[in-house]
């Protein structure tokens, strides 16, 4: 036996013979809805506007006041909430797409330059300064390596002289007939070891200063040079794209591409000009700092070595005081933080 399915009275909208909605039923529906709403929410807060199928007005549903004072209006259909939150996955995908396109353009530019097919922007004066800087860096690294070797060998010699002086002093006490001879040699070796430690302090100070110049100051400038070279490749890549588009036809399809290419070209041109200016400034300051540092260190190195081999202990100590070089006392460790308090 067939059973009649229950129907919701709110879902039944009777229609008159001319196709219009029955207004009496509509008013009854609104009245029932008003009684069914909670006491704190009236029809003044919830407005529902109905219209006939032939009406030119658009239905608007307003449910209270959304947060931030925003209201969502929909044209005929379900209510759609505005979503201003961007999808993180789409943003990452867009970044990957731009990075891939930029990498492709730069790789193509580099390959075309190596094959001799592409043009390259060159600042002759700046490029010459960069080449000189790289060549000097290699030479300074060689000096640094040799100075470190000298320091190691001098340390071994000073250590041997100390051991030899101790051995002579021991024999001076045990050999009465050669007491004076062993004593002279013991004093000489100990004096040489002391002067050697002073010279070693000067050489290590020279090494530390040159190492800072080479591996920090010059390296920082070369990092800026690397960024400048990357900006130059990007600038030439987008310049080549713009030139190719300008050589082609100009119509409704190509004009937007040309405008976009012109915009990207201008962005990378400004970046290239800025990096070129930064490199010029850093090279200027580096040259001034390099001359100042190396002049002091070379004078120190020469004076210390000359005084050591001349046997002038006072002059050797005076040289270290002049350049504010502090020697580490053997067997004495740096004070702990408790002792410094």
């Amino acid at each position: 036996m067939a059973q009649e399915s229950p129907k919701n009275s709110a879902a039944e909208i009777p229609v008159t013979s001319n196709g219009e909605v029955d207004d009496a039923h509509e008013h009854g529906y609104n009245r029932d809805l008003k009684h069914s709403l909670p006491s704190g929410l009236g029809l003044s807060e919830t407005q529902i506007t109905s219209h006939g199928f032939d009406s030119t007005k658009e239905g608007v549903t307003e449910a209270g006041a959304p947060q931030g004072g925003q209201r969502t209006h929909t044209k005929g259909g379900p209510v759609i909430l505005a979503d201003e939150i961007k999808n993180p996955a789409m943003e990452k995908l867009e970044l990957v797409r731009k990075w891939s396109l930029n990498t492709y353009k730069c790789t193509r530019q580099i390959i075309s330059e190596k094959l001799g097919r592409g043009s390259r922007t060159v600042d002759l004066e700046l490029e010459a300064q960069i080449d000189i800087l790289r060549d000097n860096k290699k030479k300074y690294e060689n000096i640094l390596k040799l100075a470190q070797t000298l320091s190691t060998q001098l340390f071994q010699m000073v250590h041997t002289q100390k051991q030899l002086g101790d051995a002579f002093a021991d024999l001076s006490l045990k050999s009465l007939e050669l007491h004076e001879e062993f004593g002279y040699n013991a004093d000489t070796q100990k004096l040489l070891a002391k002067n050697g430690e002073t010279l070693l302090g000067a050489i290590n100070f020279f090494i530390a200063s040159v190492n800072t110049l080479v591996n920090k100051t010059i390296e920082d400038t070369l990092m800026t040079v690397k960024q400048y070279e990357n900006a130059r490749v990007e600038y030439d890549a987008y310049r080549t794209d713009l030139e190719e588009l300008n050589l082609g036809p100009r119509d409704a399809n190509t004009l937007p591409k040309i405008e976009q290419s012109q915009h990207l070209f201008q962005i990378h041109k400004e970046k290239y000009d800025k990096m070129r200016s930064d490199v010029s400034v850093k090279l200027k300051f580096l040259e001034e700092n390099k001359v100042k540092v190396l002049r002091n260190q070379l004078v120190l190195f020469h004076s210390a070595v000359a005084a050591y081999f001349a046997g002038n202990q006072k002059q050797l100590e005076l040289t270290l005081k002049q350049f504010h070089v502090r020697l580490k006392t053997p067997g004495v460790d740096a004070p702990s933080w408790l002792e410094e308090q």
Side-chain angles (χ1 to χ4, degrees), residues 98-114 229-238 240-241 268 271:
K98 291 181 179 180
W99 175 83
S100 301
L101 182 60
N102 186 72
T103 303
Y104 164 74
K105 291 179 180 293
C106 294
T107 303
R108 184 183 63 177
Q109 176 66 26
I110 293 173
I111 293 176
S112 63
E113 289 178 3
K114 291 184 176 180
E229 292 175 343
N230 292 337
R232 197 276 308 165
V233 173
E234 292 179 351
Y235 165 71
D236 283 338
Y238 285 92
T240 302
D241 281 352
H268 287 87
K271 180 181 178 182

Side-chain angles (χ1 to χ4, degrees), residues 237-274:
Y238 285 92
R239 175 182 58 80
T240 302
D241 281 352
L242 180 61
E243 291 175 353
E244 292 177 353
L245 289 174
N246 286 330
L247 293 176
R250 290 176 174 268
D251 51 28
N253 294 329
T254 58
L255 283 178
K257 295 181 180 180
I258 294 176
E259 292 178 359
Q260 183 183 10
S261 180
Q262 178 67 37
H263 176 67
L264 294 174
F265 164 76
Q266 189 63 31
I267 291 176
H268 287 87
K269 183 178 184 300
E270 292 175 358
K271 180 181 178 182
Y272 167 73
D273 292 337
K274 180 180 180 301

Side-chain angles (χ1 to χ4, degrees), residues 196-211:
E197 289 178 346
T198 306
L199 176 62
L200 188 62
I203 293 176
N204 288 337
F205 186 76
F206 172 82
I207 291 173
S209 299
V210 175
N211 181 66

Side-chain angles (χ1 to χ4, degrees), residues 3 14 34 70-71 86 126 128 133 139 153 160 194 200 203 226 232 240 250-251 271 340:
Q3 295 181 356
K34 182 176 181 181
Q70 298 180 354
R71 293 183 178 180
K86 296 182 180 179
L126 189 60
L133 175 62
K139 294 178 180 179
Q153 294 174 347
T160 303
K194 182 180 179 181
L200 188 62
I203 293 176
K226 184 64 177 178
R232 197 276 308 165
T240 302
R250 290 176 174 268
D251 51 28
K271 180 181 178 182
E340 292 177 352

Side-chain angles (χ1 to χ4, degrees), residues 1-18:
M1 183 174 181
Q3 295 181 356
E4 188 176 355
S5 60
K7 297 182 180 180
N8 190 342
S9 60
E12 296 179 356
I13 303 177
V15 182
T16 60
S17 59
N18 60 357

Side-chain angles (χ1 to χ4, degrees), residues 26-75:
E26 179 184 352
H27 295 315
Y29 171 71
N30 290 337
R31 185 176 60 255
D32 295 339
L33 178 61
K34 182 176 181 181
H35 288 297
S36 63
L37 290 173
S39 59
L41 182 62
L43 285 178
S44 60
E45 301 178 19
T46 304
Q47 302 176 2
I48 301 178
T49 305
S50 304
H51 56 80
F53 294 102
D54 58 346
S55 175
T56 59
K57 295 183 179 180
E58 297 174 353
V60 178
T61 302
E62 299 179 358
Q67 295 181 358
Q70 298 180 354
R71 293 183 178 180
T72 304
H73 299 276
T74 60
K75 296 183 179 181

Side-chain angles (χ1 to χ4, degrees), residues 134-150:
R134 285 174 172 159
D135 185 59
N136 286 339
K137 183 175 183 290
K138 292 180 180 179
K139 294 178 180 179
Y140 295 154
E141 287 175 341
N142 184 47
I143 290 177
L144 185 61
K145 182 180 178 181
L146 294 174
Q148 290 172 341
T149 302
L150 177 62

Side-chain angles (χ1 to χ4, degrees), residues 44 132 137 161 167 191 224 238 255 267 289 313 324 332 340:
S44 60
I132 292 174
K137 183 175 183 290
Q161 287 173 338
L191 179 61
T224 306
Y238 285 92
L255 283 178
I267 291 176
N289 186 42
Q313 181 181 0
H324 308 286
V332 178
E340 292 177 352

